[in-house]
């Protein structure tokens, strides 16, 4: 397994969670972008946030100002800090990586699942009042 997520939990509305994704060294080094996606029950998988190799970040409008994506190159780790959580944030969260060689992309492509090659198994986030 090349990407392993953790940190999912059940929290109350307004709470915070920090998701982490440990990426294999090989996948991490060959990735030009990494991202977080989520899939709620009965819905399509949607992009939440992504980060380019140089640290440039991209966010879906629904999470802008509440979520922060970051990466730690020394630890091959991708993180997602989620604050002010809402019930509609409830979903399975997945981290993903996009290989180098596919060229630069920006919004909206950088939040499309089709732009990413490798996926983790997901971690569940449940937000309730």
């Amino acid at each position: 397994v090349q990407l392993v997520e953790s940190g999912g939990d059940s929290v109350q509305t307004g709470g915070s969670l920090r998701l982490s994704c440990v990426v294999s060294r090989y996948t991490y080094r060959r990735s030009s972008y990494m991202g977080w996606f989520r899939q709620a029950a009965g819905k399509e998988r949607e992009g939440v946030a992504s980060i380019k190799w140089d640290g440039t970040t991209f966010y879906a409008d629904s999470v802008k100002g509440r979520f922060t994506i970051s990466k730690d190159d020394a630890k091959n780790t991708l993180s997602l800090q989620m604050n002010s959580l809402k019930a509609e944030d409830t979903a399975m969260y997945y981290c993903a990586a996009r290989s180098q060689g596919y060229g630069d992309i920006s919004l909206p492509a950088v939040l499309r699942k089709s732009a990413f090659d490798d996926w983790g198994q997901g971690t569940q986030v449940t937000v309730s009042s």
Side-chain angles (χ1 to χ4, degrees):
V1 180
Q2 298 176 321
L3 301 97
V4 181
E5 304 94 335
S6 63
D9 205 345
S10 296
V11 296
Q12 292 189 327
T13 301
S16 297
L17 279 177
R18 186 176 182 84
L19 305 184
S20 294
C21 177
V22 177
V23 185
S24 70
R25 184 174 184 273
Y26 172 75
T27 298
Y28 194 96
R29 297 299 174 90
R30 71 179 180 89
S31 297
S32 55
Y33 298 79
M34 290 184 289
W36 286 97
F37 290 72
R38 66 186 181 188
Q39 187 166 14
K43 294 188 176 182
E44 291 289 320
R45 190 171 299 187
E46 63 175 1
V48 174
S50 62
I51 186 166
K52 191 177 176 181
W53 64 270
D54 64 359
T56 303
T57 57
F58 307 87
Y59 294 95
D61 288 343
S62 60
V63 306
K64 201 173 294 183
R66 300 188 298 124
F67 290 11
T68 302
I69 188 171
S70 61
K71 62 185 180 76
D72 186 332
D73 294 339
K75 297 181 179 179
N76 299 340
T77 300
L78 180 70
S79 298
L80 184 69
Q81 178 66 42
M82 305 186 294
N83 299 327
S84 303
L85 284 162
K86 306 175 181 179
E88 51 263 44
D89 294 320
T90 295
M92 184 72 79
Y93 282 72
Y94 300 88
C95 68
R98 173 182 168 88
S99 300
Q100 295 173 355
Y102 291 159
D104 283 350
I105 52 175
S106 188
L107 290 169
V110 73
L111 292 180
R112 290 181 182 148
K113 59 183 180 181
S114 59
F116 290 78
D117 310 299
D118 297 305
W119 295 85
Q121 295 300 304
T123 186
Q124 178 68 38
V125 172
T126 303
V127 184
S128 58
S129 56

